[in-house]
Amino acid sequence: MAKKILCIDDSPTIRMLVRKTLEPVGYQVDDADDGSTGLTKIQSAVFDMIIVDVNMPIMNGFDFVTAAKKNPNFAKTPIVFLTTESSAQKKELGKSLGVSGWMVKPFNPDDLLNIVKMLVG
Amino acid sequence: MHIFRLIVTTFLGLSLALLSLILFMNLGIGIFSMLSLVPLVFFVVLQIIPAKTVSSTPPPELSPQEPTILETPKNPSMEPLVPETQTIGRCYDILEEPLALLENLFPVLESLSSIVSKKIETSAQSLGQEVFKLSDSAQILNEEIDKTLKNFTTGEHSLSGAVLNLQQKMVLMDSLFKVFEKLKSGFNQSLSSLKKTSSTIHDFSENISDLADQTNILAINASIEAARVGSAGKGFAVIANQVQILSKQSKSLAEKMAVLVKDVVQTTEKSFENNNLSISEAIKQISTGKNDMGDLVQSLGPKVEQVQESVYASHRMVDTVSKGLKEITVTLQFQDITKQILDHVISILSEIRRTILESPQNNLDLEKIQGEPFKTKAHELASQFFTVEDEWTTVNVDPQHLKNKKYPEKSVELF
């Protein structure tokens, strides 16, 4: 059965690029345009991995991760930040929240595929 | 004073940066890169030069009874001649109009930034979709080419298979050619043998004929002797007569046999000659067919290789498209980074605006600054730079009624 990935980013272009990178190799991709919509999605479906941006309107990535980790269904789901942020402090914050990885934009499709394969197979 | 100058010059510098982004939409990334350096240089120069000016330029000669706001102390650490709060207050009075313009321009800049972000996002998304569509089409085309040419070049019913088949048939034709050659040779040997036998039979028949003649002569002599003897030789005379008859019949048979054998030999010879002609014709046609097949096999061989090369070229094309697609994926993401930077510019402008408005020495009349006269003036200032329809919406102007003045009716005109 295909692994299901959720991509949360306020940029439609980024969501499209993630989808076009992962779907051709067999992953099933769903998306949301901000943290709040992402929370709604994870309450109604199970995902094997979540890729999330940091800077988003309504609910940013850090708030999303904090809320998602409270959901017992997603306590152990790998979450990776895909963001323009690259400061050490933000990375430490992400690590403290329990994210599994940090990718800086612009991402290379091969790097994204490798990280997804490593985390979900 | 120095801090105030810092705030104002930073604000001006970043405003110019944003306006240069607007120009970028029309004039392209090269000009954008150049123009975005201008406010930075402007900002740096204004930070450095005033400090140097303070240390190198001698202060103006002033009467102690006439303090002036623009007086610059020789040593920045000296106490100001006029109380600072009054100085800053008077600065705000002088800068009321420019600050009012900036206050009213801030929402315009915010809107322009939002327009730029949206346009870049839409453009990147559209481009991305088209590129991926092309890539998918290329992939499908490659799979079709692969399928078609694979059937053409591999497997039992392929062109390669047909060439191999032809080569095998040529080997069979070669064998057939040899068989016919052998058959022709066999016919010739048989004819030669028949002729030899016929000659032998002819010799035999001549011998028999001679023998019959001699027997006839003997019979005649026996008859003569029987007649000389008289009645005692009557029986002998009859026998002699019978022998004479037999010898004549033998001779006749021998002659008929010779003629018969001759006919058989002639007929057989003619038949063998006809067969030989047919075999020779068949050999000739087999030889021609074999040569033609050989030519065909030779010409098909390179064509099969060309088709195979086309398959490889198609695979290489897909690899190239795939590689290019990865690079495009990286490039398209820069719109997101651009949006982030624009958001940061607006955030910085917002912070500067807040700092100015919330300064304790601020004696600005906010109602006046945010009121209609200054608002109108700010919009008129911004409008001087506008050339794109979307820009006019940020100052609540319908660009349609400006069409005659600013926008030509046709997008292309010949002069």
Side-chain angles (χ1 to χ4, degrees), chain B residues 64-105:
Chain B
Q65 283 82 29
E66 294 175 18
T68 171
I69 295 164
L70 297 177
E71 182 185 0
T72 308
K74 281 184 186 177
N75 187 339
S77 64
M78 281 174 63
E79 291 294 320
L81 296 175
V82 177
E84 194 176 325
T85 49
Q86 282 185 29
T87 307
I88 292 170
R90 288 178 75 174
C91 283
Y92 272 105
D93 289 336
I94 291 167
L95 291 170
E96 183 188 62
E97 187 173 329
L99 286 174
L101 288 174
L102 286 168
E103 168 65 13
N104 285 291
L105 280 172

Side-chain angles (χ1 to χ4, degrees), chain A residues 9-14 16-17 20-21 53 55 82 84-85 104-110, chain B residues 121 124-125 128-129 132 136 325-326 328-337 339-340 344:
Chain A
D9 198 301
D10 59 329
S11 165
T13 304
I14 297 294
M16 177 192 71
L17 293 175
K20 290 290 185 186
T21 301
D53 189 11
N55 298 312
L82 176 60
T84 52
E85 302 271 5
V104 178
K105 291 175 190 171
F107 70 87
N108 185 298
D110 288 336
Chain B
E121 173 73 59
Q125 201 183 355
Q129 280 168 353
F132 279 104
D136 290 342
L325 203 59
K326 285 179 190 169
I328 287 169
T329 299
V330 171
T331 307
L332 284 173
Q333 293 171 64
F334 280 101
Q335 57 78 29
D336 195 52
I337 292 166
K339 180 177 170 298
Q340 299 274 319
H344 297 159

Side-chain angles (χ1 to χ4, degrees), chain B residues 15-34:
Chain B
S15 303
L16 276 169
L18 197 55
L19 285 169
S20 68
L21 276 170
I22 299 161
L23 282 170
F24 155 63
M25 285 176 69
N26 287 322
L27 299 172
I29 194 79
I31 297 201
F32 165 67
S33 303
M34 256 177 9

